[in-house]
Amino acid sequence: MQKATFAGGCFWCMVTPFEEQPGIGGIVSGYTGGHVENPTYEEVKTGTTGHYEVVEITFDPQLFPYERLLELYWQQIDPTDDGGQFHDRGSQYRTAIFYHDEAQEKLALEAKEKVVASGKFQKPIVTEILPAQTFYPAEEYHQGYHKKNKDDYKADRAKSGRDEFIGQHWNGE
């Protein structure tokens, strides 16, 4: 099993696309990339800790290769938005791929170049490719939030504009 770490805005919305895929051993919502040890959600959401909201995915590369995770990741985000994602604004909601080794870095850079070359976007691709840093799991109530709080999750996702963006830019992939 290997790890993949992706920042794509609200971590609740980044769980569902991956959780039902073959070879996914688990997904943990959390924080990485900041300067505060063991940050809380309340601290991270202020945008002052430097952390990104992320999902850390444990996967079997034989069943679901990293390249496929990357393809799925790009289709969940607006890679041109450096101020957050959809209705979630602030540095904690920026997009980034946190690589765990040189192979992941190489594949992530190649995947980013593929998005650039696709011509889907008029603005520059701002999603960063960064080395993995200490990962801090989010509080328990954030884990599996979309299942524990179905109505709240659906309402939040519906008003975010994420699904409309995905439909406009990525459907058919």
Side-chain angles (χ1 to χ4, degrees):
M1 299 296 268
Q2 294 181 11
K3 299 248 187 249
T5 306
F6 300 131
C10 173
F11 47 37
W12 299 339
C13 291
M14 292 302 293
V15 174
T16 54
F18 297 100
E19 71 181 345
E20 300 297 326
Q21 302 300 326
I24 303 301
I27 303 174
V28 180
S29 295
Y31 320 109
T32 197
H35 57 271
V36 174
E37 287 187 33
N38 297 307
T40 65
Y41 177 70
E42 293 301 317
E43 292 171 322
V44 172
K45 77 178 187 178
T46 68
T48 60
T49 68
H51 290 90
Y52 294 71
E53 281 197 13
V54 298
V55 289
E56 184 179 76
I57 302 168
T58 303
F59 69 101
D60 181 340
Q62 298 301 316
L63 296 175
F64 207 84
Y66 189 66
E67 295 91 332
R68 286 185 56 202
L69 286 171
L70 289 167
E71 288 173 17
L72 192 53
Y73 166 75
W74 286 105
Q75 295 174 28
Q76 307 311 310
I77 65 167
D78 175 353
T80 68
D81 188 347
D82 63 359
Q85 285 291 283
F86 311 105
H87 74 152
D88 293 311
R89 310 312 301 159
S91 61
Q92 67 275 29
Y93 299 114
R94 292 170 294 156
T95 60
I97 297 169
F98 291 89
Y99 58 87
H100 291 265
D101 58 32
E102 287 182 16
Q104 283 189 359
E105 179 186 21
K106 180 180 182 293
L107 292 169
L109 289 167
E110 289 172 0
K112 182 175 180 177
E113 282 306 312
K114 197 181 211 182
V115 172
V116 170
S118 75
K120 287 181 182 285
F121 302 98
Q122 302 306 310
K123 297 190 268 180
I125 303 303
V126 297
T127 300
E128 295 185 274
I129 312 297
L130 302 168
Q133 299 178 33
T134 303
F135 173 79
Y136 300 100
E139 295 81 352
E140 182 55 37
Y141 71 93
H142 289 296
Q143 308 305 329
Y145 186 88
H146 64 291
K147 291 180 180 176
K148 296 183 223 176
N149 300 284
K150 288 180 184 170
D151 292 339
D152 288 344
Y153 169 74
K154 284 181 183 177
D156 185 68
R157 184 161 179 132
K159 73 180 179 182
S160 76
R162 184 182 293 262
D163 291 329
E164 290 82 1
F165 182 89
I166 291 169
Q168 183 179 9
H169 291 88
W170 295 109
N171 277 359
E173 292 287 314

